[in-house]
Amino acid sequence: MTLEWSAEEGVDMWFAARATTGDSYADGRKLDASITSTVFDGMTPGETYTLRLWWRPQQGADWVEVLPSAVCSTVILPAPTGLGCEASDTAIVLFWKEVAGATSYQASRADFPWSTVEAGGLSQKFTVLTADTSYAFRVRAGKAVGANTKYGDAATAMCSTPAAPLGAPTALVCTTSPSGASLRWGAVTGASIYRISSDGGATWAPTDALDSHTLPDLIPTAAHSVQVQAGNAAAWGGTASTKCPKVELPADFKQAPIGATCTAGIGFLDLRWNPVNAATRYRVSKDSGQTWAQTTDTALTLSGLTADTNYNSIRLQAGDDDSWDGTRAISCRTLPATALAAPKGLNCSASMDSITLTWNSVSEATRYRAGFGHTWVALPATAQEFVFGGLKAGTSYDVRVQAGNAGGWQSLAAFKPCSTTAASPQTPARACTPAAPPSPTLGQESAGGSAGSNAEHEGFKPPNRTATGAGSTGGQGPCLPRAEAPSNLTIACTANKKGPPTISATWDATVGADRYLVAITSPETLPGGTQQTALIAHYSGKHTAIIADGTHGTEYQAQTKARTAGGWTEWTPLKTASCPTSAPPLSPR
């Protein structure tokens, strides 16, 4: 319980105490004139107390009581933490973490009457809800006090029901030819996007078309099963399956070009691909085959394009003097008309396990990303610093930063070589729970400024002073407390209308922590067959972190730990999130 007051001129000393009965008081303490607050502890939860304050103009003068006295009540129990939801289209289960000392809980929808949760329960189910709707819920913990139960502060949470499940596409038909396969189906009510799988559901390719799709890369030499699934902003619905008939390919049929890459410029796209065996020529179309540009090389530049535009109908074909055969489809986006400059003014500082990179802001940039190796971490437009954590001591790294905006990562990446400092021997800290400090009484004065009975307090003599018991605990010398790992870690992957999805992690603060370490891993395979591990990064004082640009349709896992005076905590359990398979459709304008 904290007693606060305003500073006053002419005050030489304050004296604060807790009233007991009549003019008696307990837990009194003398305070300098510059102090304007003091904390009383050892209170009983859910009880009301009277706190008193005196002042004197100079040493030896009479003490004057400040009236009226302050009347305060302690909180019976804190609000529950760790609120979360599990939702269906007609019901939501609200759950929370156990509150120490609680004997019961109450939960309700906002503005609805409280409902007592069954004994020992840490969840409550709410039914008869509407699909695709957001609801506010609240929960509070109770404690038996005498014959009654007193409830503490309420915690609130917003939860949403998903849209009603979509049905499966109907009348799915697959038509095949040597150049690929074509699908047609009946549109599903409520669906805004569809996705296609040709490998039994292991991978999916999104399509903006509502009732048809072309698979130019699928040239089956045997009957091949394909699946189509309908979806909307809330979820994916039912799945329809069919088989694409076998196609007899000519003996001299040339497969579609593979290994296609695209380098974007302002108004142009540089395309490259691997050579196709027996092919003597290639051609490229930017409009789904309505017009073609031909070459005998394995590279071609599409020029005269519109800046900051996504070209998702690019087709590559291989052929010989007689015919054109296999077709490959790719997409690529041109850069905006004003490309960004590379960040300048790079500077770095290092410790044994981290490197701090700083840079100057780039005009027109709306985001940055920092990284090394094969990994990147996405940063906001205001960022001019990033800490690379979890590094090896005495090791050199080529750290880098790149500027971008809504049109993509336009600037060249700026590099800076920087080395972590060499490791030095360290004496392990002893982890323990420190002893509680002794409680000052009215019979003694502590180093913290508390005073007790049987003491004159330089002229302060209120009548009928009563003493309270004192207690102290010993120890074995100084020690460093070791905190628990951060709690309530969550990871989410959010689709963006332009660019890749954004991965973010959040967690609750750890008491006494000055730094957090966050790591994220995905199963995406990089050149050389290695697994992609996103940058392990330090965050000082932050409990929400944008980790990296994500990949559509990819699953990511995250962990975090905290550093306190007693050292690093353990890693939290892994949390998993999957990125949407595609970006949300752009709104008409």
Side-chain angles (χ1 to χ4, degrees):
M1 186 174 288
T2 302
L3 176 66
E4 297 179 339
W5 59 91
S6 60
E8 298 290 344
E9 294 184 3
V11 174
D12 169 66
M13 189 71 66
W14 301 98
F15 189 89
R18 174 168 57 89
T20 54
T21 58
D23 289 329
S24 299
Y25 70 90
D27 196 8
R29 71 278 306 271
K30 180 180 64 178
L31 304 166
D32 290 338
S34 60
I35 295 176
T36 58
S37 67
T38 187
V39 177
F40 295 88
D41 52 16
M43 305 293 175
T44 301
E47 293 297 325
T48 300
Y49 295 87
T50 298
L51 304 180
R52 303 170 66 185
L53 183 69
W54 289 265
W55 67 277
R56 72 175 184 191
Q58 60 187 18
Q59 185 173 347
D62 292 335
W63 289 87
V64 180
E65 185 170 6
V66 178
L67 296 173
S69 302
V71 179
C72 303
S73 298
T74 52
V75 176
I76 179 68
L77 286 173
T81 61
L83 268 67
C85 305
E86 293 179 355
S88 68
D89 57 320
T90 59
I92 288 177
V93 176
L94 179 72
F95 55 86
W96 56 90
K97 295 178 67 174
E98 183 178 6
V99 176
T103 57
S104 64
Y105 299 91
Q106 286 186 331
S108 76
R109 281 173 55 184
D111 301 327
F112 278 56
W114 289 101
S115 176
T116 302
V117 180
E118 294 183 6
L122 295 175
S123 65
Q124 181 82 326
K125 186 175 183 179
F126 299 87
T127 58
V128 195
L129 304 180
T130 303
D132 198 17
T133 304
S134 295
Y135 294 91
F137 297 96
R138 56 182 182 166
V139 61
R140 63 183 182 180
K143 181 177 181 179
V145 180
N148 300 316
T149 298
K150 292 189 176 182
Y151 288 92
D153 294 338
T156 59
M158 289 295 299
C159 306
S160 300
T161 53
L166 297 172
T170 59
L172 177 62
V173 176
C174 179
T175 304
T176 54
S177 70
S179 297
S182 297
L183 302 174
R184 294 196 66 84
W185 61 86
V188 176
T189 301
S192 58
I193 192 172
Y194 294 83
R195 61 180 183 177
I196 316 296
S197 175
S198 57
D199 55 10
T203 59
W204 294 87
T207 175
D208 294 330
L210 298 180
D211 58 4
S212 64
H213 185 74
T214 300
L215 295 168
D217 296 339
L218 182 63
I219 307 175
T221 56
H224 198 90
S225 178
V226 293
Q227 295 172 292
V228 179
Q229 199 172 39
N232 55 27
W236 292 102
T239 303
S241 301
T242 190
K243 287 187 178 295
C244 297
K246 176 181 177 180
V247 174
E248 296 294 339
L249 300 178
D252 59 350
F253 186 84
K254 288 162 286 299
Q255 297 291 338
I258 61 174
T261 61
C262 172
T263 301
I266 302 174
F268 68 89
L269 299 172
D270 284 331
L271 307 175
R272 294 184 179 275
W273 56 89
N274 297 337
V276 176
N277 189 33
T280 59
R281 56 179 181 164
Y282 303 90
R283 63 179 183 177
V284 179
S285 171
K286 66 176 185 297
D287 51 18
S288 298
Q290 298 180 36
T291 58
W292 296 89
Q294 187 171 322
T295 179
T296 57
D297 197 359
T298 56
L300 188 141
T301 298
L302 294 176
S303 58
L305 306 181
T306 304
D308 195 17
T309 301
N310 187 43
Y311 288 83
N312 55 10
S313 301
I314 299 174
R315 301 288 185 265
L316 309 178
Q317 266 190 339
D320 56 21
D321 295 340
D322 298 323
S323 63
W324 296 100
D325 293 330
T327 303
R328 178 78 55 191
I330 65 171
S331 62
C332 196
R333 188 180 189 88
T334 54
L335 296 183
T338 303
L340 300 178
K344 297 181 180 180
L346 269 66
N347 193 20
C348 67
S349 59
S351 66
M352 285 190 299
D353 63 350
S354 67
I355 291 175
T356 300
L357 178 67
T358 60
W359 60 89
N360 298 337
S361 61
V362 176
S363 177
E364 304 299 328
T366 59
R367 55 179 176 158
Y368 298 92
R369 61 179 181 176
F372 66 86
H374 293 293
T375 61
W376 289 99
V377 174
L379 305 170
T382 56
Q384 288 182 254
E385 177 184 286
F386 185 75
V387 179
F388 302 87
L391 308 181
K392 294 182 180 179
T395 305
S396 179
Y397 294 87
D398 282 336
V399 292
R400 64 181 187 260
V401 65
Q402 192 175 23
N405 57 23
W409 298 106
Q410 300 179 35
S411 80
L412 295 176
F415 288 81
K416 180 76 174 180
C418 196
S419 299
T420 52
T421 57
S424 59
Q426 294 184 351
T427 302
R430 179 167 63 91
C432 69
T433 302
S439 301
T441 71
L442 291 182
Q444 63 184 19
E445 183 167 293
S446 74
S450 298
S453 67
N454 305 325
E456 295 301 321
H457 301 304
E458 300 181 10
F460 179 76
K461 300 177 182 178
N464 303 324
R465 292 177 290 181
T466 58
T468 59
S472 64
T473 55
Q476 300 179 357
C479 61
L480 299 177
R482 191 178 302 281
E484 295 183 357
S487 58
N488 300 327
L489 172 67
T490 61
I491 178 176
C493 188
T494 305
N496 297 310
K497 291 188 176 181
K498 290 187 178 182
T502 299
I503 305 168
S504 62
T506 61
W507 59 93
D508 287 349
T510 297
V511 176
D514 67 340
R515 180 161 287 190
Y516 298 89
L517 199 60
V518 184
I520 192 166
T521 304
S522 78
E524 181 181 356
T525 300
L526 298 169
T530 60
Q531 187 186 53
Q532 177 181 2
T533 300
L535 202 59
I536 300 177
H538 280 296
Y539 291 89
S540 298
K542 296 181 180 179
H543 313 129
T544 299
I546 298 176
I547 305 299
D549 282 348
T551 302
H552 287 300
T554 299
E555 182 179 89
Y556 291 88
Q557 293 179 322
Q559 286 179 293
T560 184
K561 62 180 180 179
R563 188 181 71 178
T564 66
W568 286 100
T569 67
E570 299 295 327
W571 286 102
T572 59
L574 282 168
K575 295 292 184 176
T576 303
S578 295
C579 290
T581 56
S582 65
L586 295 174
S587 302
R589 59 179 183 176

